């Protein structure tokens, strides 16, 4: 609160504040401390959604909701209870499970929010991205960059489930959301052979001449395979000696994050391994791809298993411990913070005390 000038009285001040309000003005001095906090005060809560529950309810959606009747994408979004009923996992990230019954198709459309698919369960499904049919097997990452046409197609005889990560809250905050359905037909024209981007850009440092010079905002390589991810984690772990190996998925033409708005990472923590407490600016959503263990987030203990999904708020102190060797997939908003010069992080030497257990 500002000091008052001699001559001002409670009455004149009250009248003045009312006048300000009537003219759509607000004084800074009463709200400065809530506005310019010493450190981030995220509304996002540390949270976890269990795989057993996600799968059960996705299956229920598969029974109850047909894809054409308002369920064009059969998606259950992770809705963080700190975010006042908004369908967002964190203040900047959308996380969800998507479920297709055997033989179903989700129709083509495009939008300015960028998306990633991290395949979890089932096989025989592909996402067509601008005409390129990208096969998705468990543990694969497939990109659907901003404004690219995409549809999902199952030729499987069983249901398939994957994790969707999008930057919807970020793009919405910037009032930059556009959406369009694919004209006329439900499916796009396709190039004959599947996985075109993989054939062109997955050359281990060998690219079509000019591709690096023409590097775009998003990765032209749309698929990252589980076998390659596994091999890279194994090699990195062997080099560093552990306990954790951390990879970022990057655009091979630029070395930059796969999307300007969203980072994708994979972390392997060996059985018995424990990370040092880390806090960083920006939020993330973690999907436990394999393994089991615990995390402490701002003093709260989370016990997780394969398929569980966690929301990590900005500037929360996070440490992980693996009971079985664990692969954690994560989406982050780090590229946004890096681009704007807002990224910072701190690590600590000693574990934080556990004061609370999640549910
Ligand atoms: O699969 O195209 O989770 O458009 C949210 C919006 C998935 C999709 C989501 C989408 C999609
Ligand atoms: Fe979409």
């Amino acid at each position: 609160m500002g000091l008052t000038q001699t001559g001002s009285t409670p009455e004149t001040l009250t009248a003045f504040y009312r006048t300000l309000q009537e003219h759509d003005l607000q004084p800074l001095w009463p709200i400065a401390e809530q506005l310019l906090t010493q450190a981030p005060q995220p509304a996002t809560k540390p949270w976890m959604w269990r795989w057993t529950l996600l799968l059960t309810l996705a299956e229920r959606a598969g029974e109850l909701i047909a894809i054409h009747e308002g369920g064009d994408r059969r998606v259950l979004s992770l809705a963080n209870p700190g975010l006042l009923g908004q369908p967002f996992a964190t203040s900047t990230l959308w996380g969800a499970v998507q479920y297709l019954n055997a033989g179903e198709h989700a129709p083509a459309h495009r939008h300015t929010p960028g998306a990633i698919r991290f395949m979890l369960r089932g096989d025989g499904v592909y996402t067509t991205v601008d005409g390129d049919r990208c096969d998705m097997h468990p543990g694969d990452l497939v990109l659907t960059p901003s404004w690219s046409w995409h549809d999902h197609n199952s030729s499987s005889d069983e249901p398939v489930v994957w994790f969707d990560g999008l930057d919807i809250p970020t793009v919405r905050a910037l009032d930059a959301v556009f959406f369009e359905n694919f004209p006329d037909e439900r499916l796009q024209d396709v190039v004959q052979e599947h996985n075109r981007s993989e054939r062109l850009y997955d050359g281990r440092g060998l690219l079509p001449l000019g591709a690096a010079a023409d590097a775009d905002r998003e990765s032209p390589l749309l698929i990252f395979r589980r076998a390659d991810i596994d091999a890279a984690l194994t090699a990195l772990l062997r080099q560093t000696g552990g306990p954790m190996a951390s990879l970022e998925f990057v655009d091979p033409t630029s070395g930059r994050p796969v999307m300007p708005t969203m980072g994708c990472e994979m972390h392997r923590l060996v059985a018995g391994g424990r990370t040092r407490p880390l806090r960083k600016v920006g939020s993330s959503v973690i999907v436990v791809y394999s393994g089991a263990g615990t995390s402490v987030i701002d003093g709260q203990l989370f016990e997780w298993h394969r398929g569980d999904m966690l929301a990590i708020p900005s500037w929360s102190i996070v440490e992980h411990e693996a009971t079985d060797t664990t692969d954690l997939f994560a989406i982050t908003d780090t590229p946004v913070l890096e681009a704007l010069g807002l990224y910072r992080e701190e690590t600590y030497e000693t574990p934080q005390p556990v004061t609370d257990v999640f549910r």
Side-chain angles (χ1 to χ4, degrees):
M1 261 304 213
L3 295 171
T4 47
Q5 300 281 20
T6 49
S8 65
T9 64
E11 292 72 31
T12 55
L13 280 173
T14 305
F16 176 57
Y17 286 131
R18 191 171 313 121
T19 306
L20 288 176
Q21 201 179 349
E22 280 164 11
H23 291 89
D24 308 303
L25 292 165
Q26 282 195 36
L28 171 63
W29 52 93
I31 57 170
E33 279 171 28
Q34 292 136 262
L35 214 53
L36 296 163
T37 53
Q38 288 190 330
Q41 300 284 329
T44 305
K45 288 183 178 167
W47 206 255
M48 182 167 72
W49 295 263
R50 295 190 191 282
W51 172 245
T52 46
L53 185 72
L54 292 170
L55 184 61
T56 303
L57 296 178
E59 283 168 350
R60 193 80 185 115
E63 293 162 7
L64 293 173
I65 307 296
I67 292 253
H68 51 87
E69 45 179 65
D72 277 351
R73 269 117 28 237
R74 193 186 290 107
V75 166
L76 301 179
S77 87
L78 308 177
N80 191 294
L83 298 177
L84 306 169
Q86 295 185 98
F88 305 140
T90 74
S91 51
T92 59
L93 297 167
W94 168 282
V97 285
Q98 183 155 174
Y99 187 93
L100 280 187
N101 282 310
E104 281 183 333
H105 304 277
H109 62 276
R110 63 179 175 178
H111 36 71
T112 48
I116 63 90
R117 326 284 163 187
F118 183 64
M119 190 63 186
L120 292 174
R121 176 73 73 92
D123 229 320
V125 59
Y126 61 86
T127 292
T128 310
V129 185
D130 282 339
D132 183 9
R133 290 174 292 181
C134 303
D135 295 319
M136 309 201 290
H137 312 290
D140 291 350
L141 177 72
V142 171
L143 311 180
T144 315
S146 176
W147 210 235
S148 58
W149 294 111
H150 54 283
D151 52 60
H152 310 298
N153 306 274
S154 165
S155 56
S156 180
D157 49 15
E158 50 173 26
V160 294
V161 189
W162 65 83
F163 169 78
D164 282 325
L166 287 90
D167 52 17
I168 296 174
T170 303
V171 179
R172 263 178 66 105
L174 297 167
D175 281 332
V177 173
F178 292 84
F179 175 94
E180 205 175 3
N181 273 316
F182 194 71
D184 308 324
E185 279 138 273
R186 280 165 58 89
L187 303 177
Q188 311 167 48
D189 293 333
V190 294
V191 291
Q192 239 351 280
E193 229 182 315
H194 287 217
N195 310 315
R196 177 174 184 272
S197 79
E198 188 174 29
R199 290 194 307 284
L200 283 176
Y201 296 105
D202 196 18
R204 285 191 165 247
L206 296 167
L207 295 173
L209 184 64
D214 293 342
D216 211 337
R217 239 178 264 106
E218 282 108 2
S219 173
L221 175 63
L222 301 173
I223 310 175
F224 298 81
R225 295 294 180 204
R226 173 62 199 169
D228 298 325
I229 297 164
D230 181 51
L233 287 168
T234 303
L236 188 56
L237 208 50
R238 192 173 296 145
Q239 286 307 304
T240 60
M244 186 157 80
S246 295
L247 292 176
E248 178 166 16
F249 295 83
V250 299
D251 174 347
T253 65
S254 69
R256 308 271 314 139
V258 286
M259 286 182 190
T261 47
M262 212 170 16
C264 296
E265 305 172 353
M266 185 72 93
H267 306 270
R268 178 169 294 169
L269 189 56
V270 299
R274 186 190 181 104
T275 65
R276 288 201 302 177
L278 169 68
R279 83 192 325 187
K280 53 187 184 177
V281 175
S283 64
S284 42
V285 181
I286 293 177
V287 178
V288 181
Y289 178 66
S290 62
T294 56
S295 300
V296 183
I297 310 171
D298 280 346
Q300 199 176 358
L301 182 77
F302 292 77
E303 188 182 342
W304 36 258
H305 299 91
R306 186 189 182 100
D308 293 349
M309 299 178 187
L310 292 100
I312 312 289
S314 181
W315 209 235
S316 57
I317 302 177
V318 181
E319 51 198 287
H320 304 299
E321 187 166 5
T323 37
D324 302 333
T325 292
T326 290
D327 283 2
L328 300 174
F329 173 75
I331 56 168
T332 75
D333 55 13
T334 309
V336 178
L337 294 152
E338 290 278 15
L340 302 181
L342 295 171
Y343 186 76
R344 57 168 95 178
E345 61 175 44
E346 284 176 7
T347 53
Y348 302 94
E349 293 302 324
T350 49
Q352 57 187 307
V354 175
T355 54
D356 195 7
V357 178
F358 182 78
R359 259 198 265 248

